[in-house]
Amino acid sequence: MRRPRARWSALAAGIEAATPAGRDRAVDALRAFAILGVVLGHWLVTALTTAEGGLSTTSPLAHMAWLAPVSWVFQTLAVFFLVGGRVAAGGYATARARGDSYRDWAGRRLGRLFRPVVAVLLLWTVAAGGMLVGGVELDTVRTLLKLVLSPLWFLLVFAALTAATPLVARLHPLWPVAVVAGVDLWRFGSGGPEWAGWVNVAAGWLVPYTLGAAWSRGAFARRGPCLLLLGAGAAATAALVLWGGYPASMVGVPGAAMSNLNPPTLAAVTFGLAQCGLALLVREPLGRAMRRPGAWAKVALVNLSAMTVFLWHQTAMMTVTALGLLVSPDLPGLHTVPGAPEWIAARLLWLPVFAIALALCWATFRTYEQGRRPRPCGPARPARNDRPRPRPGRSRPEPTAPGLPHRTRSTPPVGSVAPADSTPPTRSTPYACSAPPVRTAVPARVGPSPRASAGAVTHA
């Protein structure tokens, strides 16, 4: 037990040492919480049942409407767009100051988003083809593919807003709020076409994105604007749900006449305003909590694979569900209809199993997001020199620029102490590093040694 704990402590210490001093750790913490909220929300409100023969999707929200407040906790997409706007606007401003082109900046950011998607699409293309050839019902395959591909709409919207950062970074958030309100009024008040609601897919998520851009310019340095966002957003959401006819659930419910999320409605936007206000209020306590190396290491590791976790969490749940069919087609909380509180208790027991399956997916596919494996944190080993060493007490020539005579540098005799500036240089790395190897220092020998001069420290 001590060895894993020691390795974790070494990893946390390496990440802590490699993190730039000026990094806003609260931003990373909010992004990690937003991603984990979406993952847990999907695992809790999405159920694959065998009640109709094949696998079909349903939700406990469709059978137990009193669970709607659960969606208020786990529908955290607005926080993700808030952080995305803050990071993108700040990063673009820094890139311009450095002289980078828009093409280079956008290529780096969008490449990190879309690299993990390739692996998901390739694997599920092969899996869907194999299931159809093996005789699996078309409706079952369609159900599984819908669950896998549904997170991609979010990624496409996020990528589009990221690419448009130079155009929307200084847009006031009230403008997209007005667009969403106008579209809802047309759809629900004047009998407008349903396709008009898809305008809100861009306008609705542009609201928290522009709030994030304003955050990067220092708009929320004081608590007053944050409290206003929280209070006004919560009051508006309550009014729309109680008297405006909007659903109480902030996620889609199968069979419901209206969804707050697909496409986003005014209630979803005002709810997102309240969430953003709360996130901005807790950023300082979060920043203080992230000063602890252990807590910061967990957040940093989630951020390194945020897209991998988001894209593969549904696959992890479906894999466990499919393997469970080999045991029984009616495992409680996995294949049964979520129509009673007992289902919730059973579902909670399955969450660790989903997490293990997601960890396996992460270990297999994280390299698609992270790219090349990062170098270990810590001092780089000095290059090995196979040339003959000069004898102690003698001088050896030191190369200089061409045309100048060689200078000589005396090798310290055996028993002397190496100069302070002889320590090999270290390689600086970002916090995205792998676990530093645990090195054990061997005490220096006292007295003459045929292999190394005293005072030199070797690493095992």
Side-chain angles (χ1 to χ4, degrees):
M1 191 69 181
R2 291 181 179 179
R3 188 170 181 179
R5 196 172 292 176
R7 293 184 66 182
W8 169 253
S9 298
L11 172 62
I15 294 176
E16 175 71 24
T19 302
R23 188 176 187 90
D24 190 347
R25 301 185 182 192
V27 173
D28 297 282
L30 289 173
R31 184 193 292 116
F33 291 153
I35 286 292
L36 294 180
V38 171
V39 170
L40 289 175
H42 281 165
W43 287 351
L44 287 172
V45 304
T46 304
L48 283 167
T49 70
T50 57
E52 299 178 2
L55 287 175
S56 58
T57 56
T58 185
S59 172
L61 298 174
H63 301 271
M64 296 175 281
W66 52 269
L67 285 176
V70 172
S71 67
W72 305 347
V73 178
F74 295 108
Q75 205 284 76
T76 52
L77 285 176
V79 177
F80 193 90
F81 279 94
L82 171 77
V83 173
R86 195 267 190 199
V87 173
Y92 181 66
T94 302
R96 288 190 62 185
R98 253 194 337 253
D100 294 352
S101 66
Y102 166 78
R103 181 177 180 179
D104 292 340
W105 172 82
R108 288 193 299 269
R109 293 203 52 89
L110 297 180
R112 175 72 183 270
L113 286 175
F114 284 112
R115 276 197 304 268
V117 177
V118 176
V120 177
L121 294 179
L122 286 178
L123 184 141
W124 274 100
T125 299
V126 175
M131 285 187 288
L132 291 174
V133 171
V136 178
E137 294 181 4
L138 180 61
D139 288 341
T140 298
V141 176
R142 185 184 297 114
T143 296
L144 298 178
L145 288 180
K146 185 177 180 180
L147 285 177
V148 171
L149 300 179
S150 59
L152 295 185
W153 73 261
F154 148 80
L155 190 60
L156 292 174
V157 175
F158 189 80
L161 294 182
T162 299
T165 296
L167 300 176
V168 303
R170 293 192 174 271
L171 182 68
H172 197 285
L174 286 180
W175 287 110
V177 170
V179 171
V180 174
V183 169
D184 275 12
L185 183 62
W186 185 24
R187 289 173 62 204
F188 305 131
S190 303
E194 285 298 318
W195 59 260
W198 295 105
V199 175
N200 288 351
V201 173
W205 299 118
L206 186 57
V207 175
Y209 194 86
T210 52
L211 285 173
W215 178 14
S216 71
R217 300 192 300 271
F220 299 102
R222 294 179 292 109
R223 293 176 61 86
C226 307
L227 289 169
L228 179 62
L229 276 178
L230 175 59
T237 304
L240 290 170
V241 170
L242 293 175
W243 300 296
Y246 287 86
S249 173
M250 290 299 146
V251 298
V253 178
M258 182 191 302
S259 169
N260 275 324
L261 197 59
N262 189 25
T265 62
L266 184 59
V269 170
T270 56
F271 178 75
L273 291 176
Q275 280 186 317
C276 292
L278 180 60
L280 292 168
L281 283 172
V282 302
R283 69 185 187 275
E284 291 184 5
L286 271 180
R288 290 193 294 269
M290 291 301 106
R291 293 173 189 168
R292 297 196 295 269
W296 169 237
K298 295 172 186 175
V299 167
L301 291 174
V302 171
N303 276 273
L304 285 175
S305 305
M307 285 297 101
T308 302
V309 170
F310 180 78
L311 291 172
W312 289 96
H313 74 279
Q314 295 282 54
T315 299
M317 182 190 70
M318 289 185 288
T319 301
V320 173
T321 303
L323 292 177
L325 292 173
L326 301 177
V327 179
S328 171
D330 297 312
L331 289 176
L334 196 63
H335 307 127
T336 53
V337 175
E342 292 79 11
W343 184 93
I344 302 173
R347 187 64 159 197
L348 292 175
L349 297 177
W350 285 105
L351 294 185
V353 185
F354 296 161
I356 293 172
L358 179 57
L360 294 176
C361 293
W362 170 84
T364 305
F365 299 104
R366 64 187 173 91
T367 54
Y368 288 89
E369 179 176 2
Q370 297 176 6
R372 291 170 49 186
R373 186 177 181 179
R375 294 178 180 272
C377 299
R381 290 180 179 270
R384 183 174 179 179
N385 191 351
D386 294 329
R387 292 178 298 177
R389 296 182 179 180
R391 294 181 181 178
R394 297 196 178 185
S395 300
R396 61 180 179 183
E398 182 177 355
T400 61
L404 295 180
H406 286 280
R407 294 175 293 179
T408 59
R409 180 173 64 190
S410 297
T411 303
V414 175
S416 64
V417 179
D421 60 354
S422 63
T423 304
T426 60
R427 184 187 303 272
S428 62
T429 60
Y431 82 81
C433 56
S434 59
V438 180
R439 304 178 185 274
T440 305
V442 179
R445 299 192 179 200
V446 179
S449 170
R451 294 186 179 180
S453 60
V457 178
T458 59
H459 296 280

